[in-house]
Amino acid sequence: MSHQPDLLYTEEEEALRSAVRDLLADHCDAATVQTRAESDEPHDRALWKNLAESMGLAGLLVPEERGGQGATHREAAVVLEELGRAVAPVPYLTSAVVATEALLACEGEEAATLLAALASGRTVGALAVPLSDRAPRDEWGVRADAAALTGAVTGVADAAAADVFLVPTADGLFAVDAGAPGVTVTPQTSLDRTRPLAAVAFDGAAGRLLAPTAAPAVRRALRAGAGLLVSEQLGLSEWLLTETVRYTRERNQFNRPVGSFQALKHRLAQLWLETVNLKAAARGAADALAAGSEDADIAVAVAQAYAAPVAVHAAEEALQLHGGIGMTWEHPIHLYLKRAKADSIALGTAGRHREELAELVELWAP
């Protein structure tokens, strides 16, 4: 029998959401995020320590016997909803989801040790592939000569915060310490400063072999990342809709709240419908990943094909309906717009996911 998706939140998931939201309310307000995004240290390491070490959220996807919390993608999705709602500048998606999923596909003592380190939150990992990748490549940018790695990868998300890189090559997946000789991390100009990109270069850097073939681990990591990225896009869309409704209720024009005008009601109602549908898609993807459903690839492709246009539309509508203040640095909408735009090309564009969905269901173009 095929898996029956459960789109509702459990009491435990709502309790987890409440705890994460309270922590973010205390330590990740919009002004703090904006100040940090404009600095040379965009990552909030203190916030990461609270989330990863104090609350144990970095190990949600890791089984208890391997040093983690033994939760599922459903709980990780709830965390990402709240992180998206706050545009939190922490490497949760890249380390606790993508890098962790890659290690879960590997066997051996080296991978187990590194997995436990990531689950503790004291070590941050990053898969050394461009943020835009949605599937393993035919050719990797880094080659391995024995265990010495040489080459470069651009557009690696959260590379500046990483303690270790998981590097795919034609000869397998390797772990390389970020501080090892021969490793250079160069920041790149990023639209979304809350999830900065960097180029990572290896010049004879010493690597530790994790798996003889990189593609299975990379495929698993990118699929989980894409499936849970939708929850982050859901969180930021909900925040944008809520704040825009609140603002249009309070802002008066011609002695009436601007939200009372029929034209704006229609736009907000349309945005609400899109956001509700996005929630169903996000929960469907998270539930399919958690259950190991045979339809997980389809659920992820459907969710990703739908999520990016909705999140970008929510940000653009919020910007417009907040009037002049939405165009300035006085309001944090620009942070959400940049995150939504960056997410729209992360782990595959909506068009690429629609193509993948057509292949999965064998619905070929005429």
Side-chain angles (χ1 to χ4, degrees), residues 223-259:
R223 186 183 72 163
L228 294 185
L229 175 65
V230 185
S231 292
E232 177 183 291
Q233 292 165 309
L234 169 62
L236 70 88
S237 298
E238 288 185 331
W239 184 91
L240 289 161
L241 176 59
T242 301
E243 285 300 306
T244 305
V245 170
R246 183 191 60 76
Y247 180 80
T248 54
R249 279 177 172 170
E250 297 175 354
R251 176 79 167 90
N252 287 327
Q253 191 74 20
F254 307 116
N255 295 320
R256 293 173 56 188
V258 296

Side-chain angles (χ1 to χ4, degrees), residues 184-271:
T184 305
V185 178
T186 305
Q188 294 180 289
T189 302
S190 309
L191 175 64
D192 176 17
R193 290 276 295 163
T194 61
R195 181 173 287 149
L197 306 179
V200 184
F202 304 94
D203 184 10
R208 307 185 297 279
L209 185 65
L210 298 170
T213 306
V218 174
R219 183 176 294 106
R220 172 173 176 162
L222 297 182
R223 186 183 72 163
L228 294 185
L229 175 65
V230 185
S231 292
E232 177 183 291
Q233 292 165 309
L234 169 62
L236 70 88
S237 298
E238 288 185 331
W239 184 91
L240 289 161
L241 176 59
T242 301
E243 285 300 306
T244 305
V245 170
R246 183 191 60 76
Y247 180 80
T248 54
R249 279 177 172 170
E250 297 175 354
R251 176 79 167 90
N252 287 327
Q253 191 74 20
F254 307 116
N255 295 320
R256 293 173 56 188
V258 296
S260 66
F261 292 104
Q262 194 70 10
L264 298 195
K265 286 182 178 179
H266 285 168
R267 290 169 66 171
L268 290 168
Q270 178 61 35
L271 197 55

Side-chain angles (χ1 to χ4, degrees), residues 46-314:
L47 177 61
W48 172 253
K49 185 174 182 178
N50 278 321
L51 290 166
E53 295 186 36
S54 301
M55 297 187 69
L57 301 183
L60 283 183
L61 295 177
V62 181
E64 292 183 74
E65 62 272 19
R66 303 182 73 176
Q69 304 301 317
T72 71
H73 300 79
R74 290 176 58 97
E75 288 80 11
V78 170
V79 174
L80 279 164
E81 285 180 29
E82 295 309 309
L83 295 178
R85 205 183 305 276
V87 285
V90 292
Y92 190 84
L93 179 71
T94 47
S95 183
V97 176
V98 175
T100 294
E101 286 281 347
L103 288 170
L104 285 169
C106 301
E107 298 179 352
E109 187 174 345
E110 184 64 43
T113 301
L114 191 50
L115 183 63
L118 262 60
S120 73
R122 289 187 288 275
T123 298
V124 173
L127 184 64
V129 300
L131 180 61
S132 58
D133 273 8
R134 88 185 207 292
R137 293 164 173 261
D138 294 331
E139 296 182 357
W140 306 105
V142 181
R143 68 179 186 279
D145 182 6
L149 272 58
T150 301
V153 187
T154 59
V156 180
D158 293 332
D163 300 300
V164 63
F165 294 109
L166 310 183
V167 188
T169 73
D171 296 306
L173 182 66
F174 289 83
V176 180
D177 293 332
V183 179
T184 305
V185 178
T186 305
Q188 294 180 289
T189 302
S190 309
L191 175 64
D192 176 17
R193 290 276 295 163
T194 61
R195 181 173 287 149
L197 306 179
V200 184
F202 304 94
D203 184 10
R208 307 185 297 279
L209 185 65
L210 298 170
T213 306
V218 174
R219 183 176 294 106
R220 172 173 176 162
L222 297 182
R223 186 183 72 163
L228 294 185
L229 175 65
V230 185
S231 292
E232 177 183 291
Q233 292 165 309
L234 169 62
L236 70 88
S237 298
E238 288 185 331
W239 184 91
L240 289 161
L241 176 59
T242 301
E243 285 300 306
T244 305
V245 170
R246 183 191 60 76
Y247 180 80
T248 54
R249 279 177 172 170
E250 297 175 354
R251 176 79 167 90
N252 287 327
Q253 191 74 20
F254 307 116
N255 295 320
R256 293 173 56 188
V258 296
S260 66
F261 292 104
Q262 194 70 10
L264 298 195
K265 286 182 178 179
H266 285 168
R267 290 169 66 171
L268 290 168
Q270 178 61 35
L271 197 55
W272 180 83
L273 287 171
E274 293 176 4
T275 304
V276 169
N277 289 334
L278 174 54
K279 177 177 287 188
R283 293 305 291 168
D287 186 68
L289 289 168
S293 169
E294 60 184 16
D295 294 330
D297 287 337
I298 293 176
V300 170
V302 168
Q304 265 298 325
Y306 186 75
V310 171
V312 171
H313 184 220

